[in-house]
Amino acid sequence: MRTRLLAALCLLAPAAALAAKDPRCAGKPAARAARFSDTALKGTSAAERYAAYVQACALDDVVALTQTLVRFKTVSSEAPAAKNPEVAAMGRALEAWAKAHGFGFRTVGDNDVFELSWGEGEPLLGLVFHGDVVPAPAHEWKRAPFKPVVEKGRLYGRGVEDDKGPIASGLVALAMAKDLGLKPQGKVLIIIGNGEESDWNGMKNYADTQPKPTHVISVDSGYPVMAAQSGFVAWTLEAPVGTALATPKEGIVARAVDVSAGEFLTQVPGAATLKLAPVKGQTPETVLAAVKAAIAQESPARKDLKAQVKREGDTVVLTTHGVAVHSSTADEGHNALWDLSAVASRLSLEDNGIAALLRVVAKRFDGDHHGDKLGLKYEDALMGPLLVAPTVLRVKDGSVSLGVNMRRPQGRDAAAFNASLDAAAKRVGEDSGGQVKEGTGRYLGDPHVADTSGPLVKTLMGIYQRQRKAPDAVPGSIRGGTYARLFPRAVDFGPAFPNEPYTGHAPDESIALETLDLSTRMLAEAVHTLAIAPAP
């Protein structure tokens, strides 16, 4: 681990391999900054010199620091922060970076939160991020997820967009301000939680117990300013698989013996697999032929159906392929579970729990992003419609379960929404003859809405409108849930731009270098406006 840390610290310096295009960016930070001083750029304001320095020189530093952070495999679902050696190693690297740049560093909790600080006095501005990432199954990636590379103007690697690229943008923006001798009028904090993708308790405790900055900006969703967040909902359906029938009913071809889809609750599955065994009187060949026929029958109605079937010993395996995306943008992907359930519904299967749950998916979820078929649909003018995505299907300990992730807008209170889930569970039970029921662990999060007329939103909207030349842009809402919801009046500001694909939880996660560059420049302007030269 010591060798790994030393290598990381070398990479935390500006990367020589990423040659700066502007000759003023050559050399060490002190030499670079001197070329953007008030002496070198006479007649320009501190804000203009800072903006010029960041625009000319920040990107290489941001890319290098992002690559360093991505190399730490900080998958919180595999090991929580307190027991995750990769999180601990990343913390040591960040502490060394902070020391090298003259910033304070502390750990809050058992590696729950890393806090870097600049300035004195009460917290004035907090930039909030998360350092943990979701899993990156190697079979889904074309590149090594924890060996980041730049290809054709994009940086690839798990976490480059969610959230390690943004962390690097924030840190580099502060470092460059300090290089120029600028000083904040209060303390500026970089707040990095390490359980956003799994367990929020560490960051929640931080938000509840530590002094709260006047302004809090999370950089974990999109632009222009995301002032509202949908409530996060976790819902589970399950059924006992049941034992095989000694004498199958006439016409039954196969028994579903296993099914699998999705990697985690917050990602739409990019692949789904159903394993079938022939019932008594049938053969693997007849099952294989039946599945091929079902695929052929379903294909005309599904132009994008991608399904393969093969024999594995005495069983037959059906696999469908979709497009994996973050569940908060489920309507931008293609759910492989929909196709699996549709093909399975054309097969004569023994009526066990797996078959019953697949029938439920076909009837109540297939083709419906908004819960209409479940009787859940509603929407809000600012936050849009309810989003519903079945994401994880598994067989374990004799039961089959389906994890469903929803993003609910304001407009229906918790009691009403819970009642609608109760009614949906009842419908599903009736559909399946009582086989499928709601599982344990229902979770219902509340929507979060910030003050869109307050100084924080107005400042950030002004920055976005100027930088993007988008005077008509207005605050928006996200379906995802970020740490912003833990802080009063907090908002999200980047890193994804409108009409650009968000790859945060997807295979081959990437971010455009242009996006990293512009995000860093806008964060720097926010730091200057809100903390270095705040309005009286």
Side-chain angles (χ1 to χ4, degrees):
M1 187 62 71
R2 178 175 173 79
T3 301
R4 170 82 172 278
L5 177 59
L6 290 174
L9 294 179
C10 292
L11 288 165
L12 284 167
L18 295 168
K21 296 179 180 179
D22 191 318
R24 295 176 297 174
C25 300
K28 295 182 178 181
R32 297 189 312 180
R35 301 177 189 120
F36 295 86
S37 67
D38 53 356
T39 301
L41 300 178
K42 293 181 179 179
T44 58
S45 68
E48 290 169 332
R49 291 187 286 104
Y50 179 32
Y53 184 27
V54 172
Q55 182 168 356
C57 306
L59 182 58
D60 285 1
D61 291 8
V62 171
V63 170
L65 181 50
T66 302
Q67 289 176 314
T68 296
L69 297 175
V70 168
R71 290 187 178 97
F72 294 106
K73 189 180 178 182
T74 53
V75 180
S76 56
S77 63
E78 294 179 357
K83 298 180 180 180
N84 194 318
E86 296 287 321
V87 171
M90 185 176 72
R92 292 193 293 272
L94 286 168
E95 183 175 13
W97 187 95
K99 183 177 180 180
H101 289 81
F103 294 124
F105 178 90
R106 69 181 181 124
T107 297
V108 180
D110 199 349
N111 284 336
D112 293 319
V113 178
F114 300 139
E115 181 192 271
L116 293 86
S117 59
W118 176 41
E120 303 294 335
E122 294 299 314
L124 178 57
L125 174 63
L127 302 179
V128 178
F129 312 87
H130 65 87
D132 63 317
V133 297
V134 296
H139 67 275
E140 293 187 354
W141 285 63
K142 296 177 182 177
R143 302 165 181 83
F146 299 101
K147 295 180 179 179
V149 295
V150 175
E151 295 179 5
K152 297 180 180 179
R154 297 189 71 85
L155 176 59
Y156 289 84
R158 177 56 88 214
V160 295
E161 185 167 31
D162 184 29
D163 221 7
K164 293 179 177 179
I167 292 173
S169 289
L171 289 173
V172 170
L174 294 194
M176 288 188 157
K178 195 170 186 300
D179 290 346
L180 291 174
L182 304 178
K183 294 181 180 180
Q185 300 304 302
K187 191 175 290 185
V188 178
L189 304 177
I190 296 282
I191 303 166
I192 304 171
N194 293 312
E196 197 269 351
E197 304 290 5
S198 56
D199 183 351
W200 283 34
N201 286 333
M203 181 60 101
K204 187 176 186 305
N205 181 66
Y206 176 94
D208 289 344
T209 61
Q210 303 301 309
K212 292 178 175 59
T214 303
H215 305 295
V216 175
I217 302 170
S218 166
V219 191
D220 189 25
S221 63
Y223 293 111
V225 175
M226 297 301 150
Q229 298 184 10
S230 296
F232 184 97
V233 179
W235 194 51
T236 305
L237 299 174
E238 62 183 21
V241 174
T243 57
L245 297 176
T247 305
K249 294 181 180 179
E250 184 178 352
I252 299 299
V253 174
R255 170 182 171 82
V257 294
D258 196 12
V259 69
S260 177
E263 299 293 338
F264 39 93
L265 188 66
T266 56
Q267 185 192 69
V268 169
T273 300
L274 175 64
K275 184 177 288 188
L276 302 166
V279 298
K280 186 177 180 181
Q282 302 290 338
T283 66
E285 287 78 11
T286 59
V287 176
L288 185 65
V291 176
K292 288 181 177 179
I295 293 172
Q297 292 166 0
E298 189 62 30
S299 292
R302 294 175 185 262
K303 302 298 183 182
D304 53 358
L305 176 63
K306 295 179 181 179
Q308 293 87 37
V309 60
K310 63 181 179 179
R311 180 175 171 180
E312 291 185 354
D314 292 333
T315 61
V316 172
V317 179
L318 166 65
T319 302
T320 56
H321 298 277
V323 179
V325 294
H326 194 289
S327 59
S328 66
T329 59
D331 47 359
E332 297 177 9
H334 183 90
N335 198 318
L337 252 179
W338 289 357
D339 294 336
L340 188 77
S341 68
V343 175
S345 68
R346 292 184 176 274
L347 297 170
S348 297
L349 300 180
E350 184 179 298
D351 188 20
N352 66 2
I354 297 174
L357 198 45
L358 285 172
R359 289 197 304 271
V360 166
V361 173
K363 182 175 182 179
R364 297 292 182 180
F365 293 91
D366 182 17
D368 180 11
H369 288 295
H370 305 301
D372 191 25
K373 295 179 179 180
L374 286 165
L376 299 174
K377 185 177 180 179
Y378 75 103
E379 61 183 285
D380 173 73
L382 170 65
M383 304 178 72
L386 171 74
L387 191 71
V388 177
T391 55
V392 181
L393 186 60
R394 290 286 187 276
V395 174
K396 183 179 180 181
D397 299 330
S399 293
V400 56
S401 65
L402 175 66
V404 181
N405 187 207
M406 304 182 195
R407 308 300 172 112
R408 73 182 189 99
Q410 63 182 355
R412 184 175 292 178
D413 65 22
F417 194 85
N418 273 314
S420 67
L421 286 180
D422 293 340
K426 183 178 178 181
R427 292 186 187 96
V428 165
E430 292 169 349
D431 293 342
S432 62
Q435 286 177 286
V436 180
K437 299 180 180 179
E438 181 177 356
T440 59
R442 179 192 294 189
Y443 176 82
L444 190 66
D446 292 324
H448 166 80
V449 181
D451 179 9
T452 57
S453 63
L456 178 59
V457 172
K458 287 185 175 181
T459 296
L460 297 179
M461 282 303 308
I463 291 170
Y464 180 87
Q465 289 166 345
R466 287 192 300 276
Q467 293 275 7
R468 292 283 285 181
K469 296 180 174 60
D472 297 328
V474 296
S477 171
I478 60 170
R479 293 162 172 163
T482 74
Y483 281 148
R485 68 192 306 120
L486 299 179
F487 299 85
R489 301 176 302 282
V491 299
D492 274 279
F493 190 55
F497 287 104
N499 303 317
E500 291 185 2
Y502 179 76
T503 66
H505 284 201
D508 292 299
E509 179 179 348
S510 67
I511 191 167
L513 299 187
E514 184 180 359
T515 296
L516 274 178
D517 183 41
L518 185 52
S519 291
T520 307
R521 287 190 276 134
M522 289 199 290
L523 271 183
E525 185 174 347
V527 168
H528 191 278
T529 304
L530 294 168
I532 296 173

